[in-house]
Amino acid sequence: MSSVVEDVIAFCRMFSSFEREEICCGTVSPAQCVLLQTLTEGEWDVSALASHARVTKGAMTRLIDGLEKRDWVTRTKGEDDARRVLVSLTPAGTKEAKRLHRLTERSIATILNRIPESNRPEVIRSLNLLRTAAEQTRTQLDCC
Amino acid sequence: MSSVVEDVIAFCRMFSSFEREEICCGTVSPAQCVLLQTLTEGEWDVSALASHARVTKGAMTRLIDGLEKRDWVTRTKGEDDARRVLVSLTPAGTKEAKRLHRLTERSIATILNRIPESNRPEVIRSLNLLRTAAEQTRTQLDCC
DNA sequence: ACTATTTAGTTGCATCATTCAACTATTGGA
DNA sequence: TCCAATAGTTGAATGATGCAACTAAATAGT
């Protein structure tokens, strides 16, 4: 009998390894992949991206450098505050983000399809509850 | 309205960041943490650990080196096959693995406690279904 | 208005994890 | 017995990251 703790650990680690392996088959690092997906929500400045991804601003600068070199993102100076650098997706970046998203969808669909159809609605509802609960928890986190 | 895909991505990434931050507050790397927890299941040889963690044997050798230096694991030669190196936890390693596991438990408990009590049984059942489904999917994976 | 302080982002340096490939030791088969 | 395959280790190169110093821009205090 496995506990819920082992289930969460196992599921999340496996999903992470799916992400890594889907991505490594292509040409982006996992961190770049997350960044591209974040930017589909719109324009962000470097600090916001860094704290969202939980890395330093220096690391984020370099992640952006990498995507900029491939013409997937552009930097623009903030209008009201010239210190700010706003990062946004180029058309090519949008396309790449969509490609990555489709791969992720495919992974998740494969997993869900292995769950008996009668259980799927409750599983889907549960995932939404879990996401919401984790988000509430995360905003409080501030260790390290 | 958010789709199930976004829910899985958000939840799994958040859990990963919980893991990283709990661990980084201590003194082990995420990979070492997984390794310690794997070894609580018993003795493994280096190749099995490497393929389980999805890294090369070289990387696994060094992860083991790191834990061995802290007296958390020991290497013993295989009896029937002297090429094999069997890795197992020391008492101190067992203690550390338990400590890490408790931290993980605490994180997960915090998340579950934010879910309405009436939904918890279905969420717990769903997590088990998801884990099982993901495990079936993973064993087929062999890209890269 | 002038200066000092704070904030945003970038860059150099050091560190660590990882992969690849070469190497050693051991095993098993022709 | 010798050769190929296997298990693990090690060196070199790469890449991601944190920290701290730095530049540029905005803001507060006088």
Side-chain angles (χ1 to χ4, degrees):
Chain A
M1 209 218 61
S2 66
S3 82
V4 67
V5 175
E6 321 310 323
D7 290 341
V8 174
I9 295 174
F11 175 65
C12 289
R13 288 199 187 140
M14 272 184 283
F15 180 72
S16 294
S17 77
F18 291 158
E19 274 197 306
R20 212 177 339 139
E21 279 151 32
E22 277 160 2
I23 290 161
C24 92
C25 290
T27 39
V28 277
S29 73
Q32 287 179 325
C33 170
V34 174
L35 180 50
L36 281 172
Q37 293 184 354
T38 303
L39 289 171
T40 58
E41 295 172 23
E43 213 173 37
W44 295 57
D45 66 29
V46 178
S47 295
L49 287 169
S51 77
H52 183 260
R54 310 220 154 202
V55 296
T56 61
K57 288 184 296 179
M60 185 49 69
T61 290
R62 279 151 182 149
L63 281 173
I64 296 165
D65 289 345
L67 297 182
E68 200 179 30
K69 236 174 252 153
R70 303 169 99 153
D71 279 317
W72 283 339
V73 304
T74 51
R75 286 172 156 109
T76 56
K77 283 246 176 254
E79 291 176 6
D80 48 335
D81 185 343
R83 290 170 304 178
R84 281 208 157 71
V85 169
L86 299 171
V87 184
S88 53
L89 288 180
T90 63
T94 306
K95 204 173 149 200
E96 176 65 9
K98 279 195 186 128
R99 188 184 69 82
L100 293 168
H101 195 265
R102 267 195 305 276
L103 287 172
T104 310
E105 275 177 337
R106 211 181 50 180
S107 252
I108 293 171
T110 306
I111 295 171
L112 289 178
N113 283 335
R114 291 184 185 283
I115 290 175
E117 207 165 343
S118 59
N119 292 314
R120 264 177 242 164
E122 93 179 290
V123 169
I124 288 170
R125 204 164 43 238
S126 296
L127 282 166
N128 187 256
L129 290 167
L130 283 164
R131 182 244 188 107
T132 308
E135 269 169 357
Q136 288 168 7
T137 307
R138 183 180 193 186
T139 55
Q140 300 184 324
L141 250 189
D142 225 346
C143 98
C144 296
Chain B
M1 207 219 59
S2 66
S3 84
V4 65
V5 174
E6 320 311 322
D7 290 341
V8 173
I9 295 174
F11 174 66
C12 289
R13 287 201 186 138
M14 272 185 282
F15 180 73
S16 295
S17 77
F18 291 157
E19 275 196 307
R20 212 177 339 139
E21 281 152 31
E22 276 160 4
I23 289 160
C24 90
C25 289
T27 40
V28 278
S29 74
Q32 286 178 327
C33 171
V34 175
L35 180 49
L36 279 172
Q37 293 184 355
T38 303
L39 290 171
T40 58
E41 294 171 22
E43 213 173 37
W44 295 57
D45 66 30
V46 177
S47 295
L49 287 170
S51 78
H52 183 260
R54 311 219 154 204
V55 295
T56 60
K57 288 185 295 178
M60 184 50 69
T61 290
R62 279 151 182 149
L63 280 174
I64 296 165
D65 289 345
L67 297 182
E68 200 180 29
K69 237 173 252 156
R70 303 169 100 153
D71 279 317
W72 284 338
V73 303
T74 50
R75 287 172 155 108
T76 55
K77 285 246 175 252
E79 290 176 7
D80 48 334
D81 185 344
R83 289 171 305 179
R84 280 206 158 72
V85 169
L86 298 172
V87 184
S88 53
L89 288 180
T90 62
T94 306
K95 205 174 148 199
E96 176 65 8
K98 279 194 186 129
R99 187 184 71 82
L100 294 168
H101 195 265
R102 267 195 305 275
L103 287 172
T104 311
E105 275 176 336
R106 211 181 50 178
S107 253
I108 293 170
T110 304
I111 295 171
L112 289 178
N113 283 335
R114 291 184 185 282
I115 291 175
E117 207 164 344
S118 59
N119 291 315
R120 263 177 243 163
E122 95 179 289
V123 169
I124 289 170
R125 204 165 43 238
S126 296
L127 283 166
N128 186 255
L129 290 167
L130 284 164
R131 183 244 187 106
T132 307
E135 269 168 357
Q136 288 169 8
T137 308
R138 184 179 193 186
T139 55
Q140 300 183 324
L141 252 189
D142 224 346
C143 96
C144 297

